[in-house]
């Protein structure tokens, strides 16, 4: 009976739940795309839901494979920590992946799949982070595989932790607060230049903030500027960064949400 449960029932339950979550998140993305007056709160909540669903799919898969309370507790703790640490870096990476998919959509004359792609990217990236995090902590029968996994995952994990907590105000359970939505720009702009270079020339930053600036400056040139949605996102982020006063990851998280929202609310990719 245990063999049947492990070989048939558990995989079926896991894949069924994962498929339902994917369809749900993509469906929410389509609803966001169709709204003519999308508000920032709706996008923030939809994004957060997609991130939680990605974590949830992997957590449930692992919980079904164990009855040990210590391991269950460990999985839940890993899930909470990995979700919080990776939230801001995944916003950046998911936005970058969506800019690439926008070019593909344009090639096939698909005009309105930005938010479904964004939310799906978020869900998949959070699921991937959870898979790696649990694999590193739980280990593997092969020591070589575990060491190689740690060798690859550790630098990215450290970098994610550094850029997610660059200011004392970042040490909060939740990675952003909608109470600060009035502090970001309310206008869509087009990109002009790398906004991180002038910031690097200034003094007064701690080592974590400097790390974030160097990482952001190095990756900025990799973001394409061909698509209309992409141009609006980059330009709006540039405007926010040039007027930034609170140099903290929580502000940058909300700033990315704001850019994603404004780029879609003006139907710039329609």
């Amino acid at each position: 009976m245990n063999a049947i449960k492990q070989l048939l029932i558990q995989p079926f339950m896991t894949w069924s739940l994962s498929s339902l979550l994917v369809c749900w998140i993509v469906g929410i993305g389509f609803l966001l795309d169709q709204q003519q007056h999308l508000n920032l709160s709706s996008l923030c909540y939809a994004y957060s839901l997609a991130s939680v669903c990605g974590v949830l799919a992997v957590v449930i898969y692992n919980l079904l494979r164990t009855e040990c309370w210590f391991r269950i507790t460990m999985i839940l703790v890993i899930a909470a920590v990995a979700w919080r640490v990776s939230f801001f870096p995944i916003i950046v990476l998911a936005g970058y992946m969506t800019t690439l998919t926008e070019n593909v959509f344009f090639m096939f004359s698909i005009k309105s799949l930005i938010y479904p792609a964004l939310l799906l990217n978020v869900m998949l990236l959070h699921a991937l982070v959870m898979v790696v995090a649990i694999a590193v902590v739980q280990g593997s029968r092969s020591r070589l595989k575990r060491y190689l996994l740690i060798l690859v995952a550790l630098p990215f994990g450290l970098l994610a932790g550094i850029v997610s907590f660059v200011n004392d105000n970042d040490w909060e359970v939740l990675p952003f607060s909608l109470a600060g939505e009035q502090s970001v720009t309310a206008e869509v702009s087009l990109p002009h230049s790398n906004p991180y270079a002038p910031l690097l020339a200034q003094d007064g930053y701690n080592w974590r903030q400097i790390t974030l600036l160097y990482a952001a400056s190095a990756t900025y040139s990799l973001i394409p500027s061909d698509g209309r949605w992409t141009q609006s996102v980059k330009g709006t982020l540039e405007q926010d960064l040039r007027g930034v006063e609170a140099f903290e990851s929580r502000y940058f998280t909300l700033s990315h949400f704001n850019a994603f929202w404004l780029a879609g609310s003006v139907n710039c990719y329609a």
Side-chain angles (χ1 to χ4, degrees):
M1 184 63 184
N2 289 332
I4 296 177
K5 180 180 179 181
Q6 293 180 357
L7 294 176
L8 297 177
I9 299 178
Q10 290 179 355
F12 175 77
M13 292 177 60
T14 302
W15 284 109
S16 298
L17 177 61
S18 299
S19 300
L20 288 174
L21 291 176
V22 168
C23 293
W24 187 30
I25 292 302
V26 172
I28 292 175
F30 276 109
L31 291 177
L32 295 180
D33 256 356
Q34 299 304 318
Q35 292 188 30
Q36 295 183 353
H37 302 287
L38 177 65
N39 58 66
L40 178 59
S41 299
S42 297
L43 178 59
C44 291
Y45 292 141
Y47 181 101
S48 301
L49 181 62
S51 68
V52 171
C53 286
V55 173
L56 189 62
V58 179
V59 167
I60 291 177
Y61 170 78
N62 284 273
L63 292 182
L64 290 174
R65 296 166 61 88
T66 181
E67 296 180 356
C68 175
W69 281 104
F70 174 77
R71 178 161 293 187
I72 291 174
T73 303
M74 181 180 65
I75 291 173
L76 295 177
V77 171
I78 294 171
V81 173
W83 177 81
R84 177 62 181 90
V85 171
S86 64
F87 194 91
F88 172 62
I90 285 181
I91 284 181
V92 179
L93 186 55
Y96 173 71
M97 293 172 61
T98 305
T99 62
L100 298 180
T101 56
E102 183 188 18
N103 293 332
V104 177
F105 296 155
F106 180 77
M107 291 172 55
F108 293 95
S109 300
I110 302 175
K111 297 181 179 180
S112 184
L113 285 178
I114 295 297
Y115 288 135
L118 175 64
L119 297 184
L120 182 59
N121 288 333
V122 170
M123 182 178 178
L124 294 178
L125 287 171
H126 273 281
L128 177 61
V129 168
M130 275 304 306
V131 169
V132 174
I134 292 178
V136 168
V137 176
Q138 286 189 340
S140 172
R141 294 181 180 180
S142 172
R143 288 188 176 182
L144 178 60
K145 290 183 179 179
R146 185 181 185 185
Y147 291 152
L148 289 176
L149 187 60
I150 293 176
L151 185 63
V152 173
L154 187 59
F156 291 100
L158 289 175
L159 181 60
I162 291 172
V163 301
S164 295
F165 303 96
V166 300
N167 189 291
D168 292 340
N169 294 331
D170 291 326
W171 293 97
E172 300 284 346
V173 175
L174 297 179
F176 69 95
S177 172
L178 288 178
E181 65 179 272
Q182 299 300 325
S183 63
V184 294
T185 182
E187 297 180 358
V188 176
S189 304
L190 293 178
H192 297 286
S193 61
N194 190 329
Y196 299 101
L199 294 176
L200 283 170
Q202 300 176 9
D203 298 324
Y205 299 123
N206 61 46
W207 66 274
R208 299 188 304 276
Q209 293 170 333
I210 294 175
T211 302
L212 173 58
L213 284 175
Y214 272 111
S217 180
T219 57
Y220 184 85
S221 59
L222 300 177
I223 303 175
S225 299
D226 300 331
R228 296 180 181 178
W229 185 82
T230 304
Q231 287 182 340
S232 295
V233 169
K234 289 184 65 175
T236 305
L237 286 174
E238 286 182 19
Q239 184 177 344
D240 280 341
L241 286 172
R242 291 193 176 96
V244 63
E245 296 180 358
F247 196 102
E248 56 191 48
S249 295
R250 288 169 62 84
Y251 175 87
F252 291 144
T253 298
L254 192 60
S255 181
H256 277 75
F257 280 143
N258 183 67
F260 296 161
W261 163 60
L262 287 175
S265 64
V266 298
N267 295 318
C268 60
Y269 56 89

